Amino acid sequence: MTSDLAISATGLVKLFGDRRVVDGVDIAVPAGAIYGMLGPNGAGKTTTLRMLLGIIEPDAGSRTLLGRARPREASDQVGYLPEERGLYPAMKAREAIAFMGALRGLKLHEGRKRATRLMEHAGLGHAVDEKIRKLSKGMAQLVQLLGSIVHQPQLLVLDEPFSGLDPVNQERLEKLILAERARGATIVFSTHIMGHAERVCDRLAIIAGGKRRFEGTVADARALLPLRAHYVPHHAGDGLRALLPSDAERAADGWRFTMPDDGIEALLMRLIEAGHGISGLSIERPSLHDAFVRIVGKDALEDTQ
């Protein structure tokens, strides 16, 4: 690659009948980064990923993947976990991983050796010779993920990888994603669960209604909203509310409000001088959830966590 970008796309559009599922999306994924595509179900994330990979062609726009204008030419350097899971149920876990590697050009005997190491590292060493049908849903999903990385791809694309996993396997998956980045791979994954994006992503795009509404770091998204203060008075007497900022809201044990533009020191002095005192004070930065609400609106929240 001659670029610092593993994936670049401009103005991607995809129509299904009269429906504009993806509407002018731009994507720039730095090489070696973990890049999240965050949005509610039906936002256009899967369709965007499939266009980036060359599985389907865009109706407008352009993209490059690992420096190639035809993404399928780089398929041996890509690992892909589709939203629709699928493994041969009669195949043993190690063989399934080795088989997936062979589809990307890895020799079977080398794939078997790597599969054993990967499963042991992922806490699945006891199941290397178990048939897929005997594995739990979460274990089978991790086996399919290992099959997508066994050939040590430059780029790993995961579509809703956390969907359906219990907390233990979600944690295992996060560790695998971080380990792949440490190996030097670029990871792109879609999700509608904000907690995962918040913990592991170097950069992210927020997609809703087929449009990219935001692109940047988690800190960039949080910076769209002001800091909030949580104030607990020592004495909550008459006149307290009049001293607080206009957006102050009652909390269980005090008040929450936006940090004043000139800082909080002058406000605290007024509260102390008025005899209300301070039993507790904390400064709360906005969460990715808060930023998401600001960017796409509350209507999209029902499909996110």
Side-chain angles (χ1 to χ4, degrees), residues 52-65:
L52 295 175
L53 290 168
I55 297 171
I56 59 176
E57 290 298 312
D59 293 308
S62 61
R63 80 283 200 216
T64 62
L65 184 143

Side-chain angles (χ1 to χ4, degrees), residues 4-300:
D4 292 333
L5 296 178
I7 296 176
S8 177
T10 304
L12 290 182
V13 172
K14 189 62 187 177
L15 302 171
F16 291 141
D18 295 332
R19 186 181 172 210
R20 208 174 182 90
V21 177
V22 177
D23 189 8
V25 167
D26 298 338
I27 295 288
V29 180
I34 299 175
Y35 191 97
M37 294 178 59
L38 178 63
N41 290 323
K45 302 186 301 295
T46 293
T47 302
T48 299
L49 288 179
R50 288 175 175 172
M51 285 191 288
L52 295 175
L53 290 168
I55 297 171
I56 59 176
E57 290 298 312
D59 293 308
S62 61
R63 80 283 200 216
T64 62
L65 184 143
L66 299 178
R68 293 170 175 82
R70 294 186 176 91
R72 299 296 290 271
E73 292 178 356
S75 60
D76 285 353
Q77 300 170 53
V78 177
Y80 175 46
L81 180 70
E83 187 177 23
E84 303 84 8
R85 315 294 189 233
L87 294 169
Y88 294 112
M91 190 175 280
K92 293 181 179 179
R94 174 170 43 199
E95 295 300 313
I97 294 170
F99 174 70
M100 292 176 68
L103 295 177
R104 301 292 190 181
L106 184 67
K107 294 185 182 299
L108 271 174
H109 72 274
E110 178 62 24
R112 292 186 183 103
K113 289 192 294 184
R114 292 186 186 182
T116 300
R117 291 196 299 267
L118 286 169
M119 291 190 69
E120 289 173 349
H121 191 262
L124 301 176
H126 62 285
V128 292
D129 290 320
E130 288 285 353
K131 291 185 177 180
I132 298 299
R133 68 163 62 98
K134 293 185 178 181
L135 301 180
S136 68
K137 178 181 177 181
M139 290 172 66
Q141 191 162 319
L142 284 176
V143 166
Q144 187 165 352
L145 172 65
L146 296 178
S148 70
I149 67 175
V150 68
H151 61 298
Q152 298 179 345
Q154 292 184 36
L155 173 66
L156 182 60
V157 178
L158 312 174
D159 194 356
E160 293 285 354
F162 297 97
S163 179
L165 292 181
D166 59 59
V168 171
N169 282 317
Q170 287 185 19
E171 183 178 355
R172 285 174 172 169
L173 177 52
E174 285 191 8
K175 289 180 179 178
L176 282 169
I177 289 173
L178 292 171
E180 283 299 289
R181 180 182 62 181
R183 181 178 63 79
T186 303
I187 300 95
V188 178
F189 72 89
S190 69
T191 185
H192 63 280
I193 304 174
M194 283 175 272
H196 299 301
E198 196 162 19
R199 282 192 293 274
V200 304
C201 286
D202 299 307
R203 296 187 71 82
L204 57 86
I206 293 177
I207 296 177
K211 295 181 179 290
R212 195 200 74 184
R213 307 297 182 88
F214 169 84
E215 200 280 338
T217 66
V218 172
D220 291 337
R222 287 172 168 165
L224 297 173
L225 296 171
L227 295 174
R228 301 270 293 173
H230 180 199
Y231 163 66
V232 181
H234 189 64
H235 298 291
D238 294 338
L240 172 60
R241 177 65 185 85
L243 292 173
L244 297 174
S246 60
D247 71 337
E249 300 176 342
R250 291 284 304 193
D253 55 352
W255 296 82
R256 282 188 170 86
F257 50 84
T258 300
M259 283 279 287
D261 291 338
D262 58 352
I264 201 169
E265 292 81 3
L267 172 60
L268 295 179
M269 288 300 299
R270 291 194 295 272
L271 292 167
I272 292 170
E273 289 170 357
H276 298 294
I278 304 170
S279 285
L281 177 68
S282 61
I283 307 302
E284 302 171 345
R285 65 176 182 171
S287 67
L288 185 57
H289 177 279
D290 298 327
F292 185 90
V293 174
R294 166 66 66 88
I295 293 165
V296 305
K298 292 184 179 180
D299 291 344

